[in-house]
Amino acid sequence: MAENNRAVLKLKEKFAASIIDVVEFRGEVTVTVAKDAIIEILSFLKQSLQFNQLTDLTAVDYLGKKEDRFMMVYQLLSIPHKERLRIKTAVSETACHIPSAIQVWSTANWLEREVYDLFGITFDNHPDLRRILMTDDWVGHPLRKDYPLQGPDREPYKGRLS
């Protein structure tokens, strides 16, 4: 049960006001947190609870389904405790930026660049935020749900992206 999870108990104890939701599904625990506390929470998980590995970082586009269009997702692993944890936080389309997690895990560098390139979410204080998969002159962000399936330079979409 998620409510008895060691990390969840500690997070609720220290960050009660920033915990939005806790869900367990098929043995996987997901904690949704407030965006303004994301770095403090990630730092606590690494330093105090030994979630010493960021195994993945990505985003989800909920175009038209939720108030905040994007959800950042951080997949964490505690090697000493053999425990996994997913942290999520909402990012709005109008304020499409979030603090960089590089200060917590250096492995966030290329993962954040990938999210920036494919979703267009900006990471504040990222030391080298530039495209990593698409060419520098590419228009748009291909994993956004409103991105044309055939790309910006093919009919019938040519000229629609600017």
Side-chain angles (χ1 to χ4, degrees):
M1 303 257 297
E3 300 303 320
N4 296 330
N5 180 289
R6 168 188 75 93
V8 171
L9 291 171
K10 294 289 186 183
L11 284 173
K12 283 185 169 183
E13 182 180 298
K14 184 162 177 68
F15 300 100
S18 297
I19 305 298
I20 297 168
D21 193 22
V22 177
V23 175
E24 182 176 352
F25 181 70
R26 295 185 177 183
E28 296 181 359
V29 178
T30 302
V31 181
T32 305
V33 302
K35 181 174 111 171
D36 61 351
I38 190 66
I39 297 303
E40 189 178 1
I41 288 170
L42 293 176
S43 296
F44 175 77
L45 286 166
K46 181 179 182 185
Q47 295 164 2
S48 300
L49 300 182
Q50 296 181 307
F51 280 90
N52 48 357
Q53 189 172 10
L54 172 67
T55 60
D56 199 8
L57 175 158
T58 191
V60 178
D61 184 350
Y62 288 109
L63 179 65
K65 305 237 186 247
K66 294 189 177 204
E67 183 178 334
D68 289 318
R69 178 173 177 174
F70 301 102
M71 184 71 72
M72 283 299 307
V73 182
Y74 302 83
Q75 301 279 8
L76 309 179
L77 172 65
S78 171
I79 295 172
H81 295 284
K82 299 180 177 110
E83 187 177 6
R84 293 184 183 274
L85 186 65
R86 179 181 300 114
I87 302 293
K88 297 187 338 182
T89 191
V91 177
S92 71
E93 186 172 15
T94 55
C96 200
H97 63 92
I98 189 166
S100 173
I102 289 177
Q103 59 188 304
V104 183
W105 294 283
S106 59
T107 55
N109 188 334
W110 284 26
L111 298 170
E112 289 179 350
R113 284 180 58 194
E114 181 180 32
V115 170
Y116 166 72
D117 194 3
L118 300 177
F119 288 94
I121 298 171
T122 302
F123 292 87
D124 301 335
N125 299 316
H126 190 287
D128 187 23
L129 195 59
R130 59 190 165 100
R131 290 194 180 269
I132 191 169
L133 298 172
M134 310 308 289
T135 60
D136 290 337
D137 62 344
W138 193 267
V139 177
H141 305 283
L143 289 185
R144 285 189 173 203
K145 289 193 175 173
D146 55 0
Y147 188 81
L149 293 177
Q150 294 178 332
D153 295 328
R154 297 182 59 195
E155 295 296 340
Y157 304 101
K158 191 168 188 165
R160 283 185 47 196
L161 296 176
S162 54

